[in-house]
Amino acid sequence: MEKMGFPICKVKGHPQFDTLPVMKIIHYPLEPRDYKPFAQGLLAVNEERLYIRLWAFETPPEPESRLLCLLRQDGEQLRVEVSPDGATVQKNGEEIAPLTAHPFTGDDLQGRYWGCLLELPRTVLGQLVPGEHVQGNLYKCSSGQRPHIGSFFPMSCPEEPLAPENDGEWVIREF
């Protein structure tokens, strides 16, 4: 299954998040029911930081609900995991501290949402300069009463959702 690329915008200064392209998690290949939570994410980079913003619409979110962002480049892996209670970041399996993590909740015309904005050093995964390619995917999952796994890029191997075969491609682009 061919996967289309998606931009990670290189911006000057602090990102204006409402102007950046948003990735919608819509692929729930193993979901037999109609429970497919609406979840989104966006990534941006500036001169100093990598911004990862993930959020999901769930009322209420189960304690087991997770949003994941996996990024892979040149043998390195970055895993960002967001839950209703907070966020963790791992590089190559070892936990690292984000520069900042801003959990948030709220509601709008689509419903109630929860999520987190994380800021990491720009060089946490290579230089992240325009033209550079990064592999990975965004996921929404839960092992609670409403178990599910969804992704932004379609999964070639949904039985192993975090496998590299399910990665799509992001390209760093000037914005």
Side-chain angles (χ1 to χ4, degrees):
M1 179 180 294
E2 186 175 318
K3 298 174 184 176
M4 56 187 242
F6 198 87
I8 297 175
C9 295
K10 166 91 172 52
V11 299
K12 292 183 180 176
H14 191 75
Q16 298 296 315
F17 293 109
D18 59 344
T19 66
L20 298 176
V22 174
M23 295 169 269
K24 296 176 183 162
I25 297 172
I26 59 170
H27 301 284
Y28 288 86
L30 301 177
E31 179 56 54
R33 304 157 306 180
D34 198 25
Y35 189 73
K36 300 173 182 173
F38 185 64
Q40 299 176 307
L42 64 80
L43 285 83
V45 64
N46 70 8
E47 302 81 13
E48 300 172 350
R49 297 180 184 221
L50 168 64
Y51 297 87
I52 300 174
R53 185 177 184 204
L54 306 171
W55 67 104
F57 289 82
E58 282 184 299
T59 306
E62 296 179 332
E64 300 86 359
S65 282
R66 298 290 182 270
L67 292 161
L68 298 171
C69 177
L70 262 75
L71 301 172
R72 301 179 224 265
Q73 184 182 42
D74 298 329
E76 303 278 318
Q77 178 178 295
L78 185 69
R79 176 185 170 132
V80 173
E81 184 171 326
V82 175
S83 74
D85 296 325
T88 59
V89 179
Q90 291 181 352
K91 181 174 179 180
N92 299 327
E94 294 192 25
E95 193 163 331
I96 63 171
L99 297 171
T100 60
H102 304 284
F104 55 85
T105 60
D107 56 86
D108 64 13
L109 295 175
Q110 295 175 337
R112 297 194 53 82
Y113 58 86
W114 61 274
C116 192
L117 168 62
L118 293 110
E119 299 178 20
L120 303 165
R122 187 197 75 201
T123 56
V124 72
L125 196 67
Q127 293 300 309
L128 299 179
V129 295
E132 203 168 54
H133 296 254
V134 178
Q135 302 298 118
N137 211 338
L138 297 181
Y139 299 94
K140 167 65 181 85
C141 56
S142 179
S143 60
Q145 293 182 349
R146 299 173 296 204
H148 59 273
I149 180 94
S151 63
F152 170 64
F153 292 112
M155 289 184 260
S156 300
C157 183
E159 298 78 19
E160 296 288 330
L162 305 183
E165 294 82 15
N166 296 320
D167 288 354
E169 184 174 83
W170 285 295
V171 179
I172 311 297
R173 295 200 179 125
E174 290 283 350
F175 186 69

